[in-house]
Structures are given as structure tokens and as C-alpha cells.
Amino acid sequence: MTTEARLYKLEGIVEGVMATLPGQITSLEGRMELFRQEVKAEIGGLRQEMVGLRQEVKAEINPAFNKLMLYFTALAAALAILTFLR
């Protein structure tokens, strides 16, 4: 194959790529936009879920903390009684 034939073939390939490239770019942009919207929706859902989980954790921490404070108070009272009995 001569250099001119190779050049002619290469020009054809380049022209073909240039003809299809804008459509492919537009298609890719559309798919990226859809993906971006899906990700935003997913993030929004996760934020609402995190709020619920945060409230559940707070609801579980408060009674546990109160129970721990009662144990420490009972321990302090027991130690005070032992101190007075000596």
C-alpha cells in the first residue's frame, strides 16, 4: 500500500470519527447528567436516613447514660456507707 493510499484511508477514518464524535459526546453528556441526578437523589435519601439513625442513637444513648449515672451514684453511696462504718 502506497503512502498516498494510507493517507487517503487515514483521512477517511478521521472523517468518520469526526462525524460520529459529536453524537457520542452528546450521548455521554446525557448519561452523565442522568447519573448525576441519580447520585444526588441517592445522597438526599442517605441524608434523611442518617437523620433517622442519629435520632435513634441519641434515643439509645440517653437511657444508657442515665443508667450509668445511677450505677455510679449507687457505687458512691456504697463507698460512703463503707467509709462511715469503719
Side-chain angles (χ1 to χ4, degrees):
M1 184 179 276
T2 65
T3 304
E4 290 179 18
R6 288 182 184 170
L7 184 58
Y8 182 75
K9 186 176 181 180
L10 184 58
E11 285 176 351
I13 292 171
V14 170
E15 287 177 5
V17 169
M18 294 302 291
T20 59
L21 193 59
Q24 290 176 345
I25 289 173
T26 303
S27 174
L28 181 60
E29 287 173 344
R31 287 186 287 173
M32 287 179 64
E33 183 59 34
L34 289 174
F35 181 68
R36 188 177 296 122
Q37 291 173 358
E38 289 176 12
V39 168
K40 283 182 181 180
E42 188 72 24
I43 288 172
L46 289 174
R47 283 182 180 157
Q48 292 172 3
E49 188 175 332
M50 284 179 60
V51 168
L53 290 173
R54 186 179 299 137
Q55 291 173 349
E56 287 181 28
V57 168
K58 283 183 181 180
E60 290 180 16
I61 286 176
N62 285 334
F65 183 73
N66 290 338
K67 193 174 185 180
L68 182 64
M69 292 307 292
L70 287 174
Y71 287 143
F72 282 138
T73 303
L75 180 62
L79 290 175
I81 291 172
L82 287 176
T83 302
F84 286 128
L85 294 177
R86 280 185 158 189

